[in-house]
Structures are given as C-alpha cells and as structure tokens.
Amino acid sequence: MKLSVWGSLELHIYPDAPAVVRALAPDEPVILNRPHAAARAARFFVEKFPGKSLYAVKANPSPELLKVLWASGVTHYDVASIAEVRLVRATLPDATLCFMHPVKTRAAIAEAYGVHGVRTFSLDAHEELEKIVAATTSDAGEAAADLSLCVRLRVSSDYSELSLASKFGVDLVDAAPLLQATRQVADALGICFHVGSQAMTPFAYVQALERVRAAIVDAAVTVDIVDVGGGFPSIYPGMEPPPLEDFFGAIHRAAESLPVSYSSELWCEPGRALCAEYNSMIVRVEKRRGKELYINDGAYGALYDAAHVGWRFPVRSLADDAEGAQEEDFAFYGPTCDDADYMEGPFTLPAGIKAGDYIEVGMLGAYGAAMKTAFNGFGQAEAIETTDEPMASQYLGDRRDPRHSDNVVSLR
Ligand SMILES: *Cc1c(COP(=O)(O)O)cnc(C)c1O
C-alpha cells in the first residue's frame, strides 16, 4: 500500500472504464468523474435557462464537482442543511447560498445568516417565518432588512418519477395569508415549488406555474422571484424525456404570462440535470446465480435508488468478450447480508457474464455517487477521471432542437 497517498488527493486520468480496469483490476467499486460532462451541463443551464440557475447541492455535494460548476458559471447554490452551507462556503467563498429547505433549526438559520452571509431562505409555514425573523434579528433588536424569502407552494408530482409533493409546501388555500405575512418582513418575496424529481414533461412546470398565478392573484402581493425548483430530467433506460429546451421554452412562456413577470426574476434549482452525467461506477460480479448477479455495491452504496425505488441505471460489461455478445436481463444483489440489498432492474448484460467480470454503471452522478463516499474508504484518497462521454447525454447536441417545431407552429 502506498501510505503516502492517504490524506492527499491524487488525480488519475484514464480514457475510459476499461482502461481503469486494465490498470487497477479494482477489488472495490470505483467512482469515475467526468468533469467535462458536468461543465457542459452547467454551461447549458447558464446560457439557455431564461433566468438564474441554482445548483441543488444535495444531488451531489462533491467539492470537485462544486468547483467545476462554479468555473462553468453557476454562481448560486441551493443548500438544504447547515453542513451544506459550511461545505459550499468553504469550497466556493464567493458563491451565493440559498437555504431552500423549508424546515430549519433556529441555530442553523442564525449561523447561515450571521456567519456565512446567507440572505435567501424558503419556508412553508408561519412558524418557520417567525423562526427566520427571530434568528436574523440583531442582539439590539433590529430586524434584518435584507432577507429574500421564498414561500414554497405545494404542487402536483403527477408528471415526475419521484414525488416531492407530500412533505413540503403550503396548500394553495392557505397560501395568501402566508405570502402577505412574508411580504411584510422580506426585502424580496419569492414563490418556489418542486414538481418532483425527473419530471418527464414540461407540462409539470406549466401546471405548477398556474398554481403560482392563482396564489399571487389571491394574495394580491408583488412577487420578486419565481423559482421553479428542480426536477429537470436526465436520461435513463426506459426514461427518455423531451429535450431540456422544451422545458425551458414552456417555463419561459408560462412565467412571462404571470401578472408579476415585468418585475420578477425567474430562478430554477436543478440538481439531477447538472450532475447525473458526472459519475459512473465500476463494480465487479462476485457471484452469479442464474439471472442474478452478486455485485460489490448496492442498496447501502451508490445504488441506493436502484434498490429503494427501482431506478434503472444503464450498464455495460467491461469484459473483453462483451462486444456483440447476446444479451439477457439480470437482477443485482448488493454486498451486504440484508435481503433488501436487491436491485430488480432489469439490467441488460451479455448472457455469458460471470464472476470476476466488471460492469460499468452509468448516470450515477445524481443521488448515487453522493451516497457512496460515506460508505467506503476506497476512492477518497484518489479521484479517478475519465475523458470519455457518459452513457447518455442531454447536452451532446444530437437531440431534436425544439425551436424548429416552434417555427413550424408560428408559420401556420
Ligand atoms: C432536491 C431538490 C432540488 C433538486 O431536485 P432535482 O430533481 O435533483 O433537480 C431542488 N430544490 C429543492 C428544494 C430540492 O429539495
């Protein structure tokens, strides 16, 4: 073992996963980083979203990724805990942090505001508003005059693969008094929502923005920020969303028609869409039992979503004889002794796959690699980068350009 590498980050760059396997024959799962893919996603949002893009840090809080996004023009970060506030502040001293979890502790708010310069907070209840006001009032009793407060509205998750509708958000019927009370203490008032993760149609946002319109009309307040949240989709097996330009276009049109469009800023909070393509992972088959493969990562590692919500990630065999082989559908077992450490898939791989073969699991940058690091010492002392393309991409420019179809409509 090279003891000298512990504690320092050694960077190794390889062309692709097969090259990593040839060089290392790794005994443990290996996370691969693709900074070029994250940079491309960031530039796409910065250039094409018709407003400001905040990166939702919880999707993948890796400091290396945060630096890539910052260097690509992402200046605002949606943080959900005081630990994320501290992490992003330490990594990106000049970033603007927005504390968008609607349930925070008083101590977290006070530290975020007083120590880390956070001015934007979200809330979905009067108690939280009182907490924010109390935690940001000076010892001399002077209330903060520089707060941007975003009221989280509950919206439907019907068009998304992962619901976020039941936990947070004030119901439309209760929104008016909360918006009015927040307007009284906020320098800037926002309305935010989250349509659920991996939204499969732009209509999710259009419908949510209709609810925003109703809330604004009901409350008769001026609104300075309309924040459409996250949910922007990535590409997975069986989940091919429309191009992101379709989402941006529909959001732009719906936001433009709001009564506050002349005075308000448009924000979004992509997590998944900015980082899904950033990571893949190399795993090894330790045992085969019929159509079941026992691999060395699972429900308690980067494949949490594959086990717990049946998410299907793309896979490819890295064995020498994989090319052109006949394929079959497999399920995976993870390495722990827990029966729940099971991933139904199906994962399509060469029919002859066997113990000792390596597999690359793609599109693990969002809610995948982030789960892994806490579970395993390997990969913390060395960062492995590859220069090849992710297994799928929203950003390679080979997808339909929706502006062409818009043109057809306007010509009619
Ligand atoms: C999780 C979360 C996001 C990011 O969602 P994605 O579906 O990954 O884009 C954005 N905003 C808030 C408030 C969240 O909780």
Side-chain angles (χ1 to χ4, degrees), residues 22-198:
R22 279 194 300 273
L24 305 179
D27 228 27
E28 300 280 347
V30 177
I31 298 283
L32 305 179
N33 298 338
R34 286 180 180 77
H36 65 284
R40 184 168 54 207
R43 285 193 304 268
F44 185 96
F45 267 84
V46 169
E47 285 165 18
K48 299 199 177 187
F49 182 76
K52 192 174 289 171
S53 300
L54 288 62
Y55 172 56
V57 172
K58 77 164 189 283
N60 188 332
S62 147
E64 296 95 76
L65 171 63
L66 294 174
K67 287 176 201 161
V68 169
L69 298 177
W70 174 261
S72 307
V74 176
T75 55
H76 286 54
Y77 293 79
D78 161 6
V79 286
S81 64
I82 193 63
E84 285 185 1
V85 171
R86 294 175 191 145
L87 170 78
V88 182
R89 180 53 77 229
T91 310
L92 307 173
D94 298 323
T96 301
L97 308 187
C98 304
F99 207 154
M100 303 306 273
H101 193 304
V103 185
K104 298 165 286 299
T105 70
R106 188 170 162 155
I109 298 163
E111 181 182 331
Y113 182 84
V115 179
H116 303 292
V118 178
R119 294 294 176 266
T120 304
F121 298 88
S122 84
L123 61 117
D124 65 1
H126 288 274
E127 300 88 296
E128 188 74 9
L129 179 61
E130 285 158 24
K131 212 193 291 173
I132 293 169
V133 168
T136 56
T137 296
S138 75
D139 292 341
E142 206 171 317
D146 53 1
L147 293 173
S148 293
L149 300 181
C150 296
V151 172
R152 170 100 168 239
L153 200 59
R154 185 207 294 268
V155 299
S156 158
S157 270
D158 289 352
Y159 301 100
S160 302
E161 295 291 330
L162 281 177
S163 173
L164 288 167
S166 52
K167 196 163 173 184
F168 298 132
V170 62
D171 280 321
L172 183 56
V173 289
D174 303 318
L178 185 57
L179 282 164
Q180 289 156 354
T182 307
R183 178 77 271 178
Q184 299 294 311
V185 296
D187 178 41
L189 173 65
I191 300 189
C192 61
F193 57 80
H194 199 302
V195 297
S197 205
Q198 185 75 3

Side-chain angles (χ1 to χ4, degrees), residues 243-268:
L244 289 172
E245 285 100 331
D246 286 11
F247 288 77
F248 294 177
I251 289 169
H252 184 60
R253 286 189 292 274
E256 282 290 300
S257 77
L258 291 176
V260 295
S261 66
Y262 62 92
S263 62
S264 66
E265 276 186 48
L266 186 63
W267 291 10
C268 68

